[in-house]
Amino acid sequence: LAYCFHQRRVALAEQRAPNGQRPVDRNLLELKMVQVVFRHGARSPLKPLPLEEQVEWNPKLLEIPPQTRFDYTVTNLAGGPKPHSHYDTEYRKTTLRGGVLAGQLTKVGMQQMFALGEKLRKNYVEDIPFLSPVYNPQEVFIRSTNMFRNLESTRCLLAGLFQHQKGSAVIHTDEASSEVLYPNYQSCWVLKEKTRGRKKAAISQPGISEDLEKVKTGVGINNGDDVDFFVLLDNVAAEQVHSLLNCPALERFAQLIEQRAVDMALYVVEQEDRESIQMAVGPFLHILEGNLLKTVDPTTAPSKTRKMYLYATHDVTLLPMLLALGIFDQKWPPFAVDLTMELYQHQESKEWFVQLFYNGKEQVPRGCPDKLCPLDKFLNTMSVYSVSPEKYRTLCSKTRIVELGE
């Protein structure tokens, strides 16, 4: 009985209005806009481990499942030609044993992204008639980082979300020099210097350095080799998801490797260091915040907003974003994970609310009283880390390096 009463109390608490006066009737909430920030699907490692026994990456792993086909074109943000991808040029320089290039989306990754698309279809096309069942550029805006695995991940997601298509989907991307969908060391000198210094310091932290030595010795990597927990996790995660993890020592250390990679990342991007998070993801948070504000502004022309915004990003984007929102779960963001932000309006009171999901689970962002967060409170949380392009340029300028003594 106590359990039943507790459950009922939890259910009531979940529905109670933010001011505690009256419950919010969810039946009166109308979905107005959705933003989905996702990591690309499973891929080959970016840099192989210097081991005698190399894992075989067979080109068959890159076969395209027929259901994931979807026509798309890539433009720059202004609608012009696709910019050059210097990352893809770099990846082409590394061929893994078996013949697969570094950092390539695999069949497993394509299937993961198709499944995420199907989940979005169920939520926003089938369960509620929010989106048209066929891709419509008036409803959906798509942006990706300019890397082939992210563009291809987006294709697979679109194939799952819109199982039929009329015309080609447009994916927008930006020049590497001004990209904000990941921490950009090219455009932000201060972040680059800070990160380099903190990464060095992180590796020599007590516990981390001993564990790194223990893992490298156990796996058979010479200590002089330039391998840290990020490189180790990159290989372990890629091998695990493709059932290729055949080094018993790596398998034994898999959990420790993930934990230490998270510890290092948290040391490099400190939650207390507001400016580090601002420089890492502040401009991207500013874009997400702008989409929310445009949607709630009655003066915005309908052509200026979309029902859904899709952003193809990376683990290094999601980790600082989760920290900024106060919902980091101490786990490395897995392949194909999504952070979904739903915006609702109450049909009677006209109040606005945000509901946040990460990896399919409802979240309570920092500063929010509940899973259903009043928009003003959610915007307050975002505003701590969100930065305008002007503020970003100031934070990142080389002159500040001298001031900070970095």
Side-chain angles (χ1 to χ4, degrees):
L1 188 66
Y3 175 75
C4 294
F5 177 70
H6 169 73
Q7 290 301 96
R8 195 165 145 259
R9 198 171 59 194
V10 168
L12 280 171
E14 280 177 356
Q15 294 168 9
R16 188 155 297 135
N19 55 17
Q21 285 172 6
R22 66 190 189 288
V24 175
D25 185 347
R26 280 177 174 267
N27 296 322
L28 292 173
L29 292 178
E30 187 186 349
L31 183 61
K32 291 290 191 177
M33 190 262 273
V34 181
Q35 305 191 80
V36 186
V37 179
F38 56 92
R39 186 185 179 197
H40 56 77
R43 55 156 169 74
S44 54
L46 301 179
K47 177 180 162 184
L49 292 174
L51 294 170
E52 275 180 44
E53 257 318 291
Q54 286 286 330
V55 169
E56 176 115 3
W57 288 88
N58 189 312
K60 276 194 172 153
L61 291 165
L62 305 179
E63 284 172 4
I64 297 176
Q67 75 274 22
T68 68
R69 294 192 182 277
F70 203 86
D71 289 335
Y72 68 91
T73 50
V74 184
T75 72
N76 64 18
L77 296 183
K82 172 189 182 296
H84 166 72
S85 172
H86 78 134
Y87 278 103
D88 286 336
T89 305
E90 282 304 305
Y91 297 139
R92 279 195 282 274
K93 293 176 185 173
T94 304
T95 304
L96 306 170
R97 186 180 162 205
V100 169
L101 296 175
Q104 299 301 296
L105 184 72
T106 61
K107 182 178 182 175
V108 170
M110 293 179 210
Q111 287 163 332
Q112 288 176 326
M113 294 312 304
F114 184 79
L116 176 56
E118 284 188 309
K119 183 183 88 170
L120 296 176
R121 180 181 179 85
K122 184 180 183 308
N123 290 352
Y124 305 116
V125 177
E126 292 167 4
D127 290 356
I128 53 164
F130 179 64
L131 291 178
S132 308
V134 176
Y135 165 73
N136 175 357
Q138 269 18 104
E139 289 187 342
V140 184
F141 173 82
I142 311 158
R143 180 169 169 179
S144 168
T145 57
N146 191 14
M147 292 182 215
F148 192 57
R149 66 171 173 271
N150 276 46
L151 298 169
E152 288 286 275
S153 289
T154 307
R155 161 180 68 78
C156 299
L157 182 149
L158 291 169
L161 174 52
F162 304 108
Q163 282 153 13
H164 308 285
Q165 83 179 115
K166 282 189 219 144
S168 187
V170 178
I171 302 176
H172 302 81
T173 191
D174 199 3
E175 301 280 353
S177 58
S178 47
E179 183 58 88
V180 297
L181 298 198
Y182 51 67
N184 193 330
Y185 303 120
Q186 206 179 329
S187 68
C188 194
W189 252 88
V190 177
L191 184 65
K192 185 181 180 177
E193 291 304 302
K194 251 188 169 179
T195 304
R196 191 164 53 190
R198 292 198 67 79
K199 210 168 156 185
K200 258 190 198 151
I203 291 174
S204 57
Q205 284 302 298
I208 291 181
S209 56
E210 288 86 344
D211 281 347
L212 185 58
E213 207 170 309
K214 181 170 80 179
V215 172
K216 283 162 83 166
T217 306
V219 173
I221 295 170
N222 297 331
N223 221 17
D225 290 313
D226 184 23
V227 173
D228 59 21
F229 279 113
F230 297 140
V231 177
L232 285 162
L233 178 64
D234 191 65
N235 280 268
V236 168
E239 289 173 25
Q240 269 179 332
V241 76
H242 295 98
S243 308
L244 292 173
L245 189 54
N246 51 18
C247 166
L250 262 186
E251 201 163 354
R252 196 169 67 246
F253 288 127
Q255 253 185 309
L256 175 67
I257 289 169
E258 183 186 355
Q259 187 48 58
R260 285 311 195 186
V262 168
D263 292 341
M264 276 188 66
L266 292 177
Y267 189 86
V268 174
V269 187
E270 284 178 292
Q271 194 160 342
E272 294 71 48
D273 183 1
R274 182 178 166 190
E275 285 189 356
S276 281
I277 296 179
Q278 286 177 329
M279 289 185 286
V281 289
F284 184 29
L285 289 171
H286 184 72
I287 290 171
L288 299 173
E289 185 181 60
N291 293 340
L292 291 168
L293 292 169
K294 264 191 304 197
T295 305
V296 303
D297 182 353
T299 65
T300 305
S303 62
K304 295 280 184 238
T305 62
R306 299 287 182 271
K307 284 185 166 187
M308 179 176 270
Y309 294 84
L310 296 170
Y311 295 98
T313 70
H314 303 266
D315 49 2
V316 293
T317 318
L318 282 158
L319 202 146
M321 280 183 77
L322 298 172
L323 286 173
L325 295 166
I327 58 168
F328 183 55
D329 59 2
Q330 303 300 313
K331 294 187 179 77
W332 197 269
F335 293 123
V337 74
D338 69 293
L339 174 66
T340 296
M341 210 178 274
E342 296 177 340
L343 177 67
Y344 289 91
Q345 187 175 30
H346 195 282
Q347 288 166 288
E348 286 176 359
S349 70
K350 301 301 175 197
E351 290 170 290
W352 294 89
F353 296 92
V354 169
Q355 185 145 24
L356 201 63
F357 296 85
Y358 175 64
N359 209 358
K361 297 184 189 78
E362 289 179 290
Q363 304 292 326
V364 181
R366 185 189 295 111
C368 289
D370 204 343
K371 289 172 188 166
L372 197 60
C373 187
L375 177 63
D376 58 341
K377 287 194 162 47
F378 185 72
L379 289 172
N380 281 345
T381 296
M382 283 184 90
S383 69
V384 176
Y385 297 103
S386 153
V387 291
S388 66
E390 301 72 39
K391 174 90 190 283
Y392 177 70
R393 276 195 291 275
T394 308
L395 283 172
C396 292
S397 72
K398 290 184 189 178
T399 52
R400 287 190 70 244
I401 293 178
V402 182
E403 292 164 31
L404 292 166
E406 292 284 334

